[in-house]
Amino acid sequence: MSGLMKIVILVPCSLFFVALVKFLYDYLWRPLRIQQMLNSQGTRGPPYRFIHGNNKEVAKMRQEALSKPMASRHDIFPRVQPHIYTWINKYGKNYLSWDGVRAELVIAEPELIKENMTPSVIASVETMLEKWKGYVGKEIELFQEFRLLTSEVISRTAFGSSYLEGQKIFDMLSKLAIIATKIFSRPEFLGSELTLVSFYSKLWKPADILESEELANEIQGCVMKMIKKREDRVVNGEADSFGNDFLGLLVNAYHDLDDKNMLSLGDLVDECKTFYLAGQDTVNSLLTWTVFLLAIHGDWQKRARREVIDIFGNQNPHPESIVKLKIMTMIINETLRLYGPANGLMRKTGREVQCEKLVLPANIDLYIANVVPQHDTQLWGDDVHLFKPERFAEGIAKATNYNAAAFCPFGIGPRSCVGISFATTEIKIALSMILQRYTISLSPAYVHSPLSVITIQPQHGIQVILKSLHNNFLYDYLWRPLRIQQMLNSQGIRGPPYRFIHGNNKEVAKMRQEALSKPTALGHDIFPRMQPHIYTWINKYGKNYLSWDGVRAELVISEPELIKEVLKNSEKAFPKRKPTVFISKLVGNGLVIVEGENWVKRRKLGNYAFHGESLKNMTPAVIDSVETMLEKWKGYVGKEIELSEEFRLLTSEVISRTAFGSSYLEGQKIFDMLGKLAIIANRNLFKTRIPWISKLWKSADILESEELANEIQGCVMKMIKKREDRVVNGEADSFGNDFLGLLVNVYHDLDDKNMLSLGDLVDECKTFYLAGQDTVNSLLTWTVFLLAIHGDWQEKARREVIDIFGNQNPHPEGIVKLKIMTMIINETLRLYGPANGLMRKIGREVQIGKLVLPANIDLYIANVVPQHDPQLWGDDVHLFKPERFAEGIAKATNYNAAAFCPFGIGPRSCVGMSFATTEIKIALSIILQRYMISLSPAYVHSPISVITVQPQHGIQVILKSLC
């Protein structure tokens, strides 16, 4: 045999021999040596099994323990950790077991173990309790409720976001926790690593490992987006720092120029994952079990409630007094003893070390079973499994007889949990607010099944029954309004005082009736007539004031900086206000109302339908509609004609043809019914409705609005059916590319994520029928009115139109060049903008400017106020002067976006803005090419608000032909 052949044979054999030796050393000799060493010192345990250690035994015990529910007792140790319970009883309080080939010394002998975020927590609890009002007397599942609460709290306090923003991260972390628990329960796994031979595990990864890696990568991506968002705000000048919350501190450390302080990107992401999980999961577990124990121990629930009422009364908890909650502290400590979130603490020996009488070799794992001493009869007495918070009446030290390791649910020493104070403060706030409002009893449906999934959780949830402590009527109609009023008054926000039940509605109705009872002079200072209550109270109480729509607190904001902060906010702190019953009938749950992912989906449809190329494609239909109107006008030359009705027909025809592929005649019934609904909504704008009366008795307006809403739905359904039938019958190969076609396409989408329900489809049609017609009608009417009384600007606009189009119809390329007309439209929007104001609400307690605002109050953004403010526009603010906009909106407003926002600003600005202004420019251009318009002597100046600003008695003009 040649030397080369010998080498070829010898090298693989040598490698195999080395691998075999290492394998036998790792999987046989070393475990047996450690076992013998500790056995010789009196530390015994279940014998090491080749490769798997004791994992198969552990999995079997856990499976048996979890296969059946337990009695409603607090001796949970045998169920959640049956292997430790069994082996401690068999081998003693310290024993050696095997996690695969990893030696794990379980230690249960005590001698061996040794803010200011209150407002955010209160706001999150308020939101949860607002929802609970609908569950009084019914069953509610606590674990899921508290999961949402604690997720929201850690998101807001540590990461400056909301639960919705972090929802994907929480969901993925939950999946990872389940996978980790599942893997831990399998004998073939070692923690998160395979206990099979290392080279085999590199060749094959099971589905759980692959899924966990994918989830970890997705979580990293989500965290990176949050970091990028912080960085972008600083780069773009929107913020001067990364923030002072936990995420802000991490990003600061990541950008630190000192290597000693700098945090790597990987460490930053890992810290976020840790705090998302620990900050939510631990508190959720503890809060859930605390309320569970109070639900079955009514005496302690009463004692805790008395303490809360004695300290806070009916006010929200405050930091100075949270520390005085002695009884609640005892209850939380006893819950931690019985149902502490952590099952145990992991350590390892870094070198050979002597621990009491034991000499431990290097590189073995230590499992500190802190749950064992907390359930030990020798330490706590024969009543160890009973819920007795009085154990902690004189503090933890006295309760444990000064043995720190007998009670260490959060660990002890330098690596004790950093979030102890945060967790207990959050729980005390939540418990206080719950106990102020409800008594809680356990539902008969509850099955006692504690389960270990990272923390101790109820396997089937915890079902309880809520009973309100308040007379809801007095709470809603007296106590809460007075509390909100007092809170805002203390910050300098005043306003008309709250009146029982009706709020300020009677005052508003009286002011409006007086203002509308007589016409106004022919000027453009319409604010006192349109919104006399806001005009009066702004002058009396200041630009921001508090008023009352029945029991609903409404903070009116007219200060530009606050308007901008609210409308541009992207943190979901200011969602859309829930509409009144009449507005709901009018627009349904359409784009102007809907929130969250549904809004994003529908906004994309609106953007696609009314921007860019779509607008160009609509131009011929708009021109045809205007031509039809002007053909009729030929018979009125030299005579009086009423503009608002003419433009109502025109704008109805345009939205019908461009968005719905029909004609005004086909949609006439819908427009008529929407008009009636608008009148009903306006009539009921300041009428007080008491919910329980409304359920018993429906007014004539409610009945009529319901009937109209049903009829509108029937008409829209016919239009949809017509589209569907054309495709089914082969008359068309698609549902169409207009707005209705896009909606029907999405309705038929097979992907649930994209699909639109039938109800949503109908609501979007209602919204766009109304907004696409009413808004444009109002703006076009007032623009022509202003040109009729300002002949100089009418002539300037006409010359521009002739210069660009001659006598030809408008075309898209020329429409963008109409600078003078743009100035005229902007000045009309400033003086007679269609929207009277924009509605929002406060989703959670939030700070804007210097104000701290409580959750669940309404915001009314009075954008008309800055548009009529002489401090912003000069003493000629009420004059029609389009030249203000000669250099654009930014220059006209001195770069103050909120000084002029007729279509709103920020993410929820009007989707149809470009469509409206394009339609108006086309109509104006064609009208100015053919007619000169002057105001009729018969005109009476009486602007009125009916959804949009409209002329109460119409606008009469005289036409003079130019052709």
Side-chain angles (χ1 to χ4, degrees), residues 485-515:
Q485 187 169 270
Q486 185 274 330
M487 178 182 177
L488 290 182
N489 286 351
S490 69
Q491 299 182 67
I493 296 292
R494 300 176 302 134
Y498 169 73
R499 310 291 183 191
F500 187 54
I501 296 180
H502 294 286
N504 306 126
N505 283 350
K506 287 185 176 180
E507 298 162 86
V508 174
K510 184 180 178 183
M511 289 186 203
R512 283 168 57 89
Q513 188 176 3
E514 288 176 358

Side-chain angles (χ1 to χ4, degrees), residues 26 28 30-36 38 45-49 51-58 87 95-106 190 364:
D26 289 340
L28 192 61
R30 185 174 175 275
L32 293 176
R33 184 174 68 86
I34 291 172
Q35 186 171 271
Q36 185 275 328
L38 289 180
Y48 168 73
R49 309 291 184 190
I51 296 181
H52 294 291
N54 306 126
N55 284 352
K56 287 185 176 180
E57 297 159 89
V58 172
W87 289 334
Y95 68 86
L96 179 69
S97 65
W98 297 89
D99 184 0
V101 295
R102 290 168 64 171
E104 188 172 86
L105 180 63
V106 176
L190 167 66
I364 72 166

